[in-house]
Every structure is written in structure tokens, then in C-alpha cells.
Amino acid sequence: MDRLYTLEKLSLNDVGPVRIVQLYADGFEHLALNEKLFVYYLSQAAIAGRDIAIDQRHKDGLTIRDLLEAVCTHPEGVDERVADALRVYTKLFWVNNGIHDDITSRKFMPDCSFDEFTAAVRRAVSNGAAIESVVEGESLDALLARLRPVMFDPRIDPVRTNKTPGEDMLASSANNLYEGATFAEVDAWAKSGREHYGLNSKLVRRDGAFVEEVYRTGTLHLGGDVPPGRYAADLEAVIGFLLQARPFAATDNQQQTIDRLIEFYRTGETDAWRAYTISWLADTETRVDFIHGFIEVYLDARGVKGQYEAIVNFADPDLTRMIQRIGSSAQYFEDRMPWDELYKKTDVQPLKASVINVVVETGDAGPVSAIGINLPNEEDIRERFGSKSVSLNNIVDAYEKSGGRDIVREFSFDDAEYERFLACGRRADNLHTALHEILGHGSGRMNPAVSADPHTLLPGLYSTLEETRADLVALWHIWDEKLKEIGAVENDEIARAMYDKEVRNAWLIQLQRVPKGADQLEEDHMKNRQLIVHWLTANTGAIERLVRDGKTFVRVTDYQEMRSGVGRLLAEVMRIKAEGDYHAAAQLINTYGLKIDTALRDEVLFRMEHLDRAVYTGFVMPRLEPVTDETGRILDITVSYPCDLARQMLDYSAFTRAERARTRSAFRVRTSGVS
């Protein structure tokens, strides 16, 4: 029986804008031993590659982490105020996998001076801390001086990914996906047909030419002819655990899926990635599943390069049966999309969907987590082979139980709206996620006359546009009587609760995530929500903004008029995607999704001051440990809950260092470079 967790049990502490929450994986103990072993080795593989994502977010990310963890583990003699400031900064680094806020994309800095930080690091080293990232020939003092502007100057690398119109989106982004490149140069280079490893490489200017540094182990150590690339040792450790997981896969196809993923990590070839993705899509009946690779492209302003991420999970059979009823009706919903017939699929197979419990998320996937996922991102694979959608059940549950309701109470227009949230909010959220992921990302097709992938046609805009499209699909179909017929919706109050939240969050609540001094949104999901609601406000009579007792509120005045507007906007967004209409996409996003009302933001922040407020959540993952007999044979895998972010992050770092050292000798290359 699932535990009934209290807020105190889930929420460990708040760090700046982040609430730290323990994630529970109820039901793991009921898995068969083979399933537990499969989860265990896949989880080890997920952790072994996590440093890749930190490096992708900033070229100095791993070095900064090493310095911070040195102070954390060797704090004796460090001034207590400075130690406290660095503990907070380190936790924020862990949660965000780097020095930029995961939501706003803006840099945060330590609440101490550079000299105080330098003194703390020197004290930690004198206490016995080893700094792994100090490169040969560079002294500790030189390293600290080099990092000073990165960590302490707000003008240096202020935004992790800059998608501001009119600015060079590559040269002004702090991430580590490109080096020595401008957007125009890379765009011209890619259009010339020379980009071969777009998803899984770093693009570097070397001797006047662009070179793709590919993430791969190579095959030289196996007698092949593919040279090693970036993070070869880390990926070899990943492969080692995938090989240990392989015998416990549930089906022959799932074993083949692992083989193809290993082939991709060895060669880096796009064909290997596509073969893995297609094989992974065929794994629909297995209870334990995983997501692994260079996947989401939000970090890249071009929308091309994927971040490393890994998720290991197991399905909840009862909830999955419910959500699959939506997926099995995919053609019905496709036929009733409000867009042009040219963009409708006519041969939709039942879409693959499940409700899962996460065991571990690393890299781009955690500690900050999505609540739903639809993959693959490749449009042609999606159109030919379908997609998989998952709703992350224990993530959603933890969000709900660890978040205070007083924020919703503060920003609800009246008692009826708040009572509707209490009665229907959880169901509305779950259905929004399901419809967004299953029907949203899985729907529609490109104009057959357009051969290019929409990512390349809509650089810097595609991710926002696609999230807008998926949200609009959820808002459109929530009223469909089919959902009542299959038992997903009991009454229209659920639809009203979904519309209430969309308006309330986009106009008001999400503004808490935008710091003072900023006047625009950076994160794609935030832009998509604001775009929808601001467009509907401007183009329908369904949404009212008013001031009562000095406080701003928004409310839906006509739900059916709002739905009509959703349909009109959805038809246009689908047209833009299907035609690759860059000008229309830019006009729509920049007009409605980019700039914020700074006075309203300041009001929201003021009203938040007395509330139980956390801007976003970082999760402490469950811990898996093998139980062995005297011969070392594994008898069981137990799950426990550390309830300690620092302990888990330090354990992860120690684990990746050990695995890197174990595999490094096979390559004779530095893990941060190319052979």
C-alpha cells in the first residue's frame, strides 16, 4: 500500500527559489528480481554519464563543482558565514546542474566575495581536498583567477541560452555547445551540408574551420577504426552498466534496444541513434523502461544539439490502462483537430502511453523534473513509427503534496475558482499532461511538400512553438465527449479547472520566476503559456483582467468562447509548424510570449512574500542497494530514501570519478577533450 506522505516528510528544505523534495518510488519492492536488477544497472548507467550534461551547460561547470564540493567536504576552519553562503550556492548548483537557474536561464552568484571564496578553497585544499579539475600546468591560484569573472561578475555569461530576437543567440549564450561561433556562421555552415553530428557533438572553431567534437567512446580499444571523442571514458562506464543490465531485459527487442544504444555511444553515428530510437519505440509491453541519450534540444538556441539525460522507471499498470484508452483513440482525436486537413494524419496507430514511477533522473532530466514526456523529437520518425508518452506519476504526486495551496488561494479570483481547484485540480493537471504528451506532441504532420525538419526551419523558435501546440491540443480536447465515454473525465468542471489554471498561471503565478531586473521570459514552456493566454486575452472576450482591493486578478468569463479561441490559435500554430513559417512564428512568439509586464511581476513577488512559496522543485532520488550472499551473488535490490541532497550529490560525484578513473586508461585521452 502506498504511503501517505506529509508535506514535512516530502519537503526537506528550501534553498533560495528551490524546494528540495524527497522522491518516493512506491511499488519498486513489488517488482520481480530480474526487474529490480534491470532497474539497478540502468540506474548506475544513468549516474555514470551525468557529468556530460553539467559540462554541456557551461565549459567551467565541472571545475566549479569540484571546488564547491571540496569546500563542502573539507570545511574545517572556513568562516562559518562564508561556509553557509557556499553551501546554499552549492545546492543551487546541484539542483540546476550548473551556475544558471534552470527556469530563468540566468546566472546566480555566491553570497560572498571572491576573496572569501578563494580563502575557503585554499583552506579546503590544506585540509586535504583534491581538486580533480586542475589541469596540468595550471596552479590553483591561476584557476581561481580564471573563474573569478565566471562566478562573480554578473556581466560575464549572464544567460545560459539566449533566444532574444536581434541578438546573436550562440555568441551570447553561456552554454558549452559551441565555441568560437556566431549564429549566422553556424547556420550557413549547416546549410552547406557539413553538419553530420548535430545532436551529439560540440561545434568548435579550430584553425579557421568548424570541427564537430562528437560524444562517443570510439572503437579503437575494440580493434575498430572509430577514434574516441568527448567524454569517452564516461560513456564507456555507461556502456559497462548497460551491458550488465542487458541480460535482465524483459524481451529480445529490449535487449536489441540496449545493443543499439551501445552502438550509438560507441560510434556517435546518427543512423545508430535512429535505429535505437525505433527499437525503443517498439518496447511497449515491458514494465521497466528507460530514456537515455542526447535528447532534448532546449539548451541549444538553434534547437539542434541534445543534452545528455537518463531516466529509469517502471509503469503503474492500473493508471497506465486508463491513460492508454486515450492513446487508443488517437485517430478519433486527430480527425477532430481544428487545423487544415492537409496537416492531419490519416493512419494514426494507437499511441503508446504509460503512467510511470521514476527511480532515477540525471543530466538534463534531474534533479529538476518534467511531469510528462513525449519522444522521439525527430519528426520523421514520429510520423512513421509513432511516439511514446509517459506521465511521471510519483513526480506529479510529490509536486502536489510538497507545494502549498495558499498560492492558488491568493491568486484565485473567487471561492468558486478555488473550490474547483481543490475538487478537480489534480485530475485536470494529470489530463493536461496526458493530452499534451500523447495527443499534442504525437499529432499532426508536416506539409508533404516541406521536406526539412521543423527544428531547422524554425531555429530558436521551434521548442516554444511545439510546446504551445501541445498545450493547445490539451486545452482543445479536454471538452470532447469522448473523454467522458472512456472514463477519463467525469464532468465539465475538470475542463473549467484546466482553463482556470492556464490563465491564472500564465498571467500571474509564473511571473514569480522572473527576477527583478529582467523584462522577458527565457524558458520555452513559460513563453508558450504566456503566448496562449495573452493571445486569447487580446483576441477573444473570454478572459478578464481586473483589480480588486489593490490586487490584480484574471478570470475566465466564457469557457466556450475561450475554447473557440484555442481552436483558432491552434490551427495557426499547426500551420506555422507544418509550413516552417519562420516569420509568422517569430511574430507570434515575440508579440505575445516574450516580454512581461514588469509592474505586474513586482506585484506578484510582493504578494508572494507571505506565502509558502518555492519557485521550482529539485528532487532527491531513491537510493538502490544490492543485497548479496557470502559469494557476492545479488539476492535482492533494496530501495531507501536518503532525504539528503548533499549526501546524494556527493555520492554521485564520487561514483562518476571512480568510474571515470576505471575506464580512462583504455583511451589515453582527457575526459573533457578529444583524442
Side-chain angles (χ1 to χ4, degrees), residues 44 47 50 65 69 73 94 623 625 642 644-658:
Q44 299 290 90
I47 298 166
R50 69 186 280 261
R65 188 194 67 184
E69 291 184 355
T73 54
W94 284 329
R623 178 183 176 87
E625 294 180 285
D644 187 337
L645 177 69
R647 182 72 270 152
Q648 182 163 88
M649 293 293 100
L650 292 170
D651 286 347
Y652 281 5
S653 293
F655 176 80
T656 54
R657 279 195 294 270

PDB file of all heavy atoms in Angstrom, residues 44 47 50 65 69 73 94 623 625 642 644-658:
ATOM      1  N   GLN A  44      22.663   2.805 -12.503  1.00  0.00           N
ATOM      2  CA  GLN A  44      24.106   3.043 -12.455  1.00  0.00           C
ATOM      3  C   GLN A  44      24.585   3.681 -13.761  1.00  0.00           C
ATOM      4  O   GLN A  44      25.421   4.591 -13.753  1.00  0.00           O
ATOM      5  CB  GLN A  44      24.842   1.720 -12.225  1.00  0.00           C
ATOM      6  CG  GLN A  44      24.501   1.010 -10.926  1.00  0.00           C
ATOM      7  CD  GLN A  44      25.016   1.711  -9.696  1.00  0.00           C
ATOM      8  OE1 GLN A  44      24.314   2.555  -9.126  1.00  0.00           O
ATOM      9  NE2 GLN A  44      26.217   1.388  -9.277  1.00  0.00           N
ATOM     10  N   ILE A  47      23.664   7.434 -13.801  1.00  0.00           N
ATOM     11  CA  ILE A  47      24.516   8.270 -12.958  1.00  0.00           C
ATOM     12  C   ILE A  47      25.909   8.415 -13.577  1.00  0.00           C
ATOM     13  O   ILE A  47      26.522   9.487 -13.519  1.00  0.00           O
ATOM     14  CB  ILE A  47      24.604   7.686 -11.539  1.00  0.00           C
ATOM     15  CG1 ILE A  47      23.215   7.664 -10.898  1.00  0.00           C
ATOM     16  CG2 ILE A  47      25.567   8.492 -10.667  1.00  0.00           C
ATOM     17  CD1 ILE A  47      23.128   6.817  -9.636  1.00  0.00           C
ATOM     18  N   ARG A  50      26.228  11.479 -15.946  1.00  0.00           N
ATOM     19  CA  ARG A  50      25.611  12.757 -15.578  1.00  0.00           C
ATOM     20  C   ARG A  50      26.530  13.962 -15.763  1.00  0.00           C
ATOM     21  O   ARG A  50      26.057  15.071 -16.038  1.00  0.00           O
ATOM     22  CB  ARG A  50      25.113  12.722 -14.126  1.00  0.00           C
ATOM     23  CG  ARG A  50      26.225  12.669 -13.101  1.00  0.00           C
ATOM     24  CD  ARG A  50      25.692  12.478 -11.686  1.00  0.00           C
ATOM     25  NE  ARG A  50      25.209  13.702 -11.095  1.00  0.00           N
ATOM     26  CZ  ARG A  50      25.904  14.449 -10.245  1.00  0.00           C
ATOM     27  NH1 ARG A  50      27.157  14.131  -9.925  1.00  0.00           N
ATOM     28  NH2 ARG A  50      25.381  15.540  -9.724  1.00  0.00           N
ATOM     29  N   ARG A  65      32.137  22.912  -9.826  1.00  0.00           N
ATOM     30  CA  ARG A  65      31.569  21.922  -8.913  1.00  0.00           C
ATOM     31  C   ARG A  65      32.646  21.280  -8.052  1.00  0.00           C
ATOM     32  O   ARG A  65      32.457  21.062  -6.845  1.00  0.00           O
ATOM     33  CB  ARG A  65      30.830  20.833  -9.697  1.00  0.00           C
ATOM     34  CG  ARG A  65      30.050  19.881  -8.797  1.00  0.00           C
ATOM     35  CD  ARG A  65      29.603  18.641  -9.526  1.00  0.00           C
ATOM     36  NE  ARG A  65      30.734  17.803  -9.918  1.00  0.00           N
ATOM     37  CZ  ARG A  65      30.613  16.695 -10.637  1.00  0.00           C
ATOM     38  NH1 ARG A  65      29.425  16.320 -11.082  1.00  0.00           N
ATOM     39  NH2 ARG A  65      31.686  15.976 -10.951  1.00  0.00           N
ATOM     40  N   GLU A  69      32.522  21.345  -4.037  1.00  0.00           N
ATOM     41  CA  GLU A  69      32.433  20.104  -3.276  1.00  0.00           C
ATOM     42  C   GLU A  69      33.662  19.907  -2.390  1.00  0.00           C
ATOM     43  O   GLU A  69      33.567  19.282  -1.331  1.00  0.00           O
ATOM     44  CB  GLU A  69      32.221  18.932  -4.223  1.00  0.00           C
ATOM     45  CG  GLU A  69      30.843  18.962  -4.870  1.00  0.00           C
ATOM     46  CD  GLU A  69      30.539  17.757  -5.748  1.00  0.00           C
ATOM     47  OE1 GLU A  69      31.437  16.916  -5.947  1.00  0.00           O
ATOM     48  OE2 GLU A  69      29.389  17.652  -6.229  1.00  0.00           O
ATOM     49  N   THR A  73      33.164  19.235   1.597  1.00  0.00           N
ATOM     50  CA  THR A  73      33.665  18.028   2.262  1.00  0.00           C
ATOM     51  C   THR A  73      34.840  18.300   3.193  1.00  0.00           C
ATOM     52  O   THR A  73      35.181  17.443   4.005  1.00  0.00           O
ATOM     53  CB  THR A  73      34.091  16.988   1.208  1.00  0.00           C
ATOM     54  OG1 THR A  73      35.031  17.575   0.301  1.00  0.00           O
ATOM     55  CG2 THR A  73      32.876  16.494   0.428  1.00  0.00           C
ATOM     56  N   TRP A  94      23.882  22.135  -7.650  1.00  0.00           N
ATOM     57  CA  TRP A  94      23.470  20.734  -7.814  1.00  0.00           C
ATOM     58  C   TRP A  94      22.095  20.624  -8.468  1.00  0.00           C
ATOM     59  O   TRP A  94      21.885  19.832  -9.382  1.00  0.00           O
ATOM     60  CB  TRP A  94      23.443  20.037  -6.456  1.00  0.00           C
ATOM     61  CG  TRP A  94      24.784  19.680  -5.905  1.00  0.00           C
ATOM     62  CD1 TRP A  94      25.915  19.347  -6.604  1.00  0.00           C
ATOM     63  CD2 TRP A  94      25.149  19.616  -4.523  1.00  0.00           C
ATOM     64  NE1 TRP A  94      26.948  19.076  -5.741  1.00  0.00           N
ATOM     65  CE2 TRP A  94      26.509  19.225  -4.461  1.00  0.00           C
ATOM     66  CE3 TRP A  94      24.460  19.830  -3.328  1.00  0.00           C
ATOM     67  CZ2 TRP A  94      27.180  19.044  -3.253  1.00  0.00           C
ATOM     68  CZ3 TRP A  94      25.125  19.655  -2.121  1.00  0.00           C
ATOM     69  CH2 TRP A  94      26.474  19.276  -2.084  1.00  0.00           C
ATOM     70  N   ARG A 623      17.431   5.671  -3.412  1.00  0.00           N
ATOM     71  CA  ARG A 623      18.744   5.025  -3.427  1.00  0.00           C
ATOM     72  C   ARG A 623      18.551   3.518  -3.536  1.00  0.00           C
ATOM     73  O   ARG A 623      17.778   2.929  -2.761  1.00  0.00           O
ATOM     74  CB  ARG A 623      19.524   5.367  -2.157  1.00  0.00           C
ATOM     75  CG  ARG A 623      20.892   4.699  -2.037  1.00  0.00           C
ATOM     76  CD  ARG A 623      21.556   5.043  -0.709  1.00  0.00           C
ATOM     77  NE  ARG A 623      22.810   4.339  -0.527  1.00  0.00           N
ATOM     78  CZ  ARG A 623      23.990   4.781  -0.965  1.00  0.00           C
ATOM     79  NH1 ARG A 623      24.057   5.941  -1.588  1.00  0.00           N
ATOM     80  NH2 ARG A 623      25.089   4.088  -0.756  1.00  0.00           N
ATOM     81  N   GLU A 625      20.315  -0.309  -3.465  1.00  0.00           N
ATOM     82  CA  GLU A 625      21.488  -1.022  -2.956  1.00  0.00           C
ATOM     83  C   GLU A 625      21.280  -2.517  -3.109  1.00  0.00           C
ATOM     84  O   GLU A 625      20.205  -3.047  -2.776  1.00  0.00           O
ATOM     85  CB  GLU A 625      21.730  -0.688  -1.486  1.00  0.00           C
ATOM     86  CG  GLU A 625      22.117   0.760  -1.230  1.00  0.00           C
ATOM     87  CD  GLU A 625      22.346   1.043   0.246  1.00  0.00           C
ATOM     88  OE1 GLU A 625      21.352   1.144   0.985  1.00  0.00           O
ATOM     89  OE2 GLU A 625      23.514   1.129   0.647  1.00  0.00           O
ATOM     90  N   PRO A 642      17.262   8.718   0.980  1.00  0.00           N
ATOM     91  CA  PRO A 642      18.294   9.411   1.759  1.00  0.00           C
ATOM     92  C   PRO A 642      17.844  10.715   2.386  1.00  0.00           C
ATOM     93  O   PRO A 642      18.422  11.142   3.384  1.00  0.00           O
ATOM     94  CB  PRO A 642      19.401   9.649   0.732  1.00  0.00           C
ATOM     95  CG  PRO A 642      18.748   9.528  -0.598  1.00  0.00           C
ATOM     96  CD  PRO A 642      17.628   8.571  -0.432  1.00  0.00           C
ATOM     97  N   ASP A 644      18.495  13.632   1.725  1.00  0.00           N
ATOM     98  CA  ASP A 644      19.680  14.475   1.911  1.00  0.00           C
ATOM     99  C   ASP A 644      20.284  14.757   0.539  1.00  0.00           C
ATOM    100  O   ASP A 644      20.983  13.909  -0.023  1.00  0.00           O
ATOM    101  CB  ASP A 644      20.684  13.755   2.815  1.00  0.00           C
ATOM    102  CG  ASP A 644      21.873  14.630   3.194  1.00  0.00           C
ATOM    103  OD1 ASP A 644      22.176  15.590   2.462  1.00  0.00           O
ATOM    104  OD2 ASP A 644      22.514  14.341   4.227  1.00  0.00           O
ATOM    105  N   LEU A 645      20.022  15.939  -0.007  1.00  0.00           N
ATOM    106  CA  LEU A 645      20.534  16.292  -1.324  1.00  0.00           C
ATOM    107  C   LEU A 645      22.053  16.285  -1.350  1.00  0.00           C
ATOM    108  O   LEU A 645      22.668  15.751  -2.284  1.00  0.00           O
ATOM    109  CB  LEU A 645      20.017  17.671  -1.736  1.00  0.00           C
ATOM    110  CG  LEU A 645      20.546  18.199  -3.075  1.00  0.00           C
ATOM    111  CD1 LEU A 645      19.980  17.395  -4.243  1.00  0.00           C
ATOM    112  CD2 LEU A 645      20.237  19.687  -3.246  1.00  0.00           C
ATOM    113  N   ALA A 646      22.689  16.864  -0.321  1.00  0.00           N
ATOM    114  CA  ALA A 646      24.144  16.963  -0.316  1.00  0.00           C
ATOM    115  C   ALA A 646      24.789  15.585  -0.340  1.00  0.00           C
ATOM    116  O   ALA A 646      25.718  15.327  -1.105  1.00  0.00           O
ATOM    117  CB  ALA A 646      24.612  17.752   0.903  1.00  0.00           C
ATOM    118  N   ARG A 647      24.294  14.687   0.498  1.00  0.00           N
ATOM    119  CA  ARG A 647      24.874  13.347   0.548  1.00  0.00           C
ATOM    120  C   ARG A 647      24.747  12.649  -0.795  1.00  0.00           C
ATOM    121  O   ARG A 647      25.665  12.002  -1.284  1.00  0.00           O
ATOM    122  CB  ARG A 647      24.182  12.537   1.638  1.00  0.00           C
ATOM    123  CG  ARG A 647      24.707  11.122   1.846  1.00  0.00           C
ATOM    124  CD  ARG A 647      26.074  11.134   2.507  1.00  0.00           C
ATOM    125  NE  ARG A 647      27.155  11.170   1.518  1.00  0.00           N
ATOM    126  CZ  ARG A 647      28.342  11.705   1.740  1.00  0.00           C
ATOM    127  NH1 ARG A 647      28.607  12.296   2.885  1.00  0.00           N
ATOM    128  NH2 ARG A 647      29.278  11.673   0.819  1.00  0.00           N
ATOM    129  N   GLN A 648      23.559  12.783  -1.428  1.00  0.00           N
ATOM    130  CA  GLN A 648      23.357  12.117  -2.712  1.00  0.00           C
ATOM    131  C   GLN A 648      24.249  12.703  -3.790  1.00  0.00           C
ATOM    132  O   GLN A 648      24.870  11.965  -4.565  1.00  0.00           O
ATOM    133  CB  GLN A 648      21.892  12.213  -3.135  1.00  0.00           C
ATOM    134  CG  GLN A 648      21.601  11.493  -4.443  1.00  0.00           C
ATOM    135  CD  GLN A 648      20.129  11.237  -4.636  1.00  0.00           C
ATOM    136  OE1 GLN A 648      19.426  12.085  -5.179  1.00  0.00           O
ATOM    137  NE2 GLN A 648      19.655  10.078  -4.195  1.00  0.00           N
ATOM    138  N   MET A 649      24.344  14.008  -3.858  1.00  0.00           N
ATOM    139  CA  MET A 649      25.159  14.629  -4.894  1.00  0.00           C
ATOM    140  C   MET A 649      26.644  14.304  -4.715  1.00  0.00           C
ATOM    141  O   MET A 649      27.361  14.060  -5.695  1.00  0.00           O
ATOM    142  CB  MET A 649      24.941  16.139  -4.905  1.00  0.00           C
ATOM    143  CG  MET A 649      23.547  16.577  -5.328  1.00  0.00           C
ATOM    144  SD  MET A 649      23.145  16.226  -7.062  1.00  0.00           S
ATOM    145  CE  MET A 649      22.166  14.722  -6.876  1.00  0.00           C
ATOM    146  N   LEU A 650      27.101  14.294  -3.492  1.00  0.00           N
ATOM    147  CA  LEU A 650      28.499  13.941  -3.240  1.00  0.00           C
ATOM    148  C   LEU A 650      28.760  12.477  -3.576  1.00  0.00           C
ATOM    149  O   LEU A 650      29.817  12.123  -4.113  1.00  0.00           O
ATOM    150  CB  LEU A 650      28.866  14.241  -1.790  1.00  0.00           C
ATOM    151  CG  LEU A 650      28.907  15.729  -1.419  1.00  0.00           C
ATOM    152  CD1 LEU A 650      29.043  15.899   0.091  1.00  0.00           C
ATOM    153  CD2 LEU A 650      30.037  16.454  -2.148  1.00  0.00           C
ATOM    154  N   ASP A 651      27.797  11.613  -3.262  1.00  0.00           N
ATOM    155  CA  ASP A 651      27.931  10.200  -3.630  1.00  0.00           C
ATOM    156  C   ASP A 651      27.975  10.034  -5.143  1.00  0.00           C
ATOM    157  O   ASP A 651      28.772   9.248  -5.673  1.00  0.00           O
ATOM    158  CB  ASP A 651      26.768   9.386  -3.054  1.00  0.00           C
ATOM    159  CG  ASP A 651      26.885   9.165  -1.558  1.00  0.00           C
ATOM    160  OD1 ASP A 651      27.973   9.420  -0.996  1.00  0.00           O
ATOM    161  OD2 ASP A 651      25.884   8.732  -0.945  1.00  0.00           O
ATOM    162  N   TYR A 652      27.115  10.760  -5.847  1.00  0.00           N
ATOM    163  CA  TYR A 652      27.119  10.686  -7.309  1.00  0.00           C
ATOM    164  C   TYR A 652      28.468  11.127  -7.869  1.00  0.00           C
ATOM    165  O   TYR A 652      29.014  10.502  -8.791  1.00  0.00           O
ATOM    166  CB  TYR A 652      26.020  11.585  -7.889  1.00  0.00           C
ATOM    167  CG  TYR A 652      24.616  11.021  -7.856  1.00  0.00           C
ATOM    168  CD1 TYR A 652      24.318   9.808  -7.232  1.00  0.00           C
ATOM    169  CD2 TYR A 652      23.569  11.717  -8.460  1.00  0.00           C
ATOM    170  CE1 TYR A 652      23.025   9.314  -7.210  1.00  0.00           C
ATOM    171  CE2 TYR A 652      22.268  11.222  -8.451  1.00  0.00           C
ATOM    172  CZ  TYR A 652      21.997  10.030  -7.820  1.00  0.00           C
ATOM    173  OH  TYR A 652      20.709   9.556  -7.820  1.00  0.00           O
ATOM    174  N   SER A 653      29.008  12.217  -7.337  1.00  0.00           N
ATOM    175  CA  SER A 653      30.291  12.719  -7.838  1.00  0.00           C
ATOM    176  C   SER A 653      31.405  11.715  -7.588  1.00  0.00           C
ATOM    177  O   SER A 653      32.251  11.478  -8.468  1.00  0.00           O
ATOM    178  CB  SER A 653      30.631  14.058  -7.177  1.00  0.00           C
ATOM    179  OG  SER A 653      29.733  15.065  -7.582  1.00  0.00           O
ATOM    180  N   ALA A 654      31.414  11.124  -6.392  1.00  0.00           N
ATOM    181  CA  ALA A 654      32.432  10.119  -6.086  1.00  0.00           C
ATOM    182  C   ALA A 654      32.303   8.917  -7.021  1.00  0.00           C
ATOM    183  O   ALA A 654      33.305   8.354  -7.491  1.00  0.00           O
ATOM    184  CB  ALA A 654      32.310   9.683  -4.624  1.00  0.00           C
ATOM    185  N   PHE A 655      31.078   8.529  -7.292  1.00  0.00           N
ATOM    186  CA  PHE A 655      30.826   7.390  -8.171  1.00  0.00           C
ATOM    187  C   PHE A 655      31.327   7.671  -9.580  1.00  0.00           C
ATOM    188  O   PHE A 655      32.016   6.840 -10.189  1.00  0.00           O
ATOM    189  CB  PHE A 655      29.326   7.084  -8.178  1.00  0.00           C
ATOM    190  CG  PHE A 655      28.917   5.995  -9.127  1.00  0.00           C
ATOM    191  CD1 PHE A 655      29.073   4.667  -8.789  1.00  0.00           C
ATOM    192  CD2 PHE A 655      28.359   6.299 -10.368  1.00  0.00           C
ATOM    193  CE1 PHE A 655      28.689   3.651  -9.659  1.00  0.00           C
ATOM    194  CE2 PHE A 655      27.969   5.304 -11.243  1.00  0.00           C
ATOM    195  CZ  PHE A 655      28.137   3.978 -10.884  1.00  0.00           C
ATOM    196  N   THR A 656      31.001   8.840 -10.133  1.00  0.00           N
ATOM    197  CA  THR A 656      31.428   9.142 -11.502  1.00  0.00           C
ATOM    198  C   THR A 656      32.945   9.286 -11.594  1.00  0.00           C
ATOM    199  O   THR A 656      33.548   8.863 -12.588  1.00  0.00           O
ATOM    200  CB  THR A 656      30.751  10.421 -12.028  1.00  0.00           C
ATOM    201  OG1 THR A 656      30.971  11.502 -11.115  1.00  0.00           O
ATOM    202  CG2 THR A 656      29.250  10.215 -12.178  1.00  0.00           C
ATOM    203  N   ARG A 657      33.560   9.851 -10.561  1.00  0.00           N
ATOM    204  CA  ARG A 657      35.029   9.950 -10.572  1.00  0.00           C
ATOM    205  C   ARG A 657      35.665   8.566 -10.585  1.00  0.00           C
ATOM    206  O   ARG A 657      36.627   8.316 -11.317  1.00  0.00           O
ATOM    207  CB  ARG A 657      35.519  10.759  -9.376  1.00  0.00           C
ATOM    208  CG  ARG A 657      35.440  12.259  -9.548  1.00  0.00           C
ATOM    209  CD  ARG A 657      36.259  12.989  -8.491  1.00  0.00           C
ATOM    210  NE  ARG A 657      35.706  12.790  -7.160  1.00  0.00           N
ATOM    211  CZ  ARG A 657      34.790  13.602  -6.608  1.00  0.00           C
ATOM    212  NH1 ARG A 657      34.326  14.632  -7.288  1.00  0.00           N
ATOM    213  NH2 ARG A 657      34.350  13.364  -5.395  1.00  0.00           N
ATOM    214  N   ALA A 658      35.134   7.667  -9.759  1.00  0.00           N
ATOM    215  CA  ALA A 658      35.690   6.317  -9.682  1.00  0.00           C
ATOM    216  C   ALA A 658      35.513   5.574 -11.002  1.00  0.00           C
ATOM    217  O   ALA A 658      36.430   4.895 -11.487  1.00  0.00           O
ATOM    218  CB  ALA A 658      35.028   5.545  -8.542  1.00  0.00           C
TER     219      ALA A 658
END
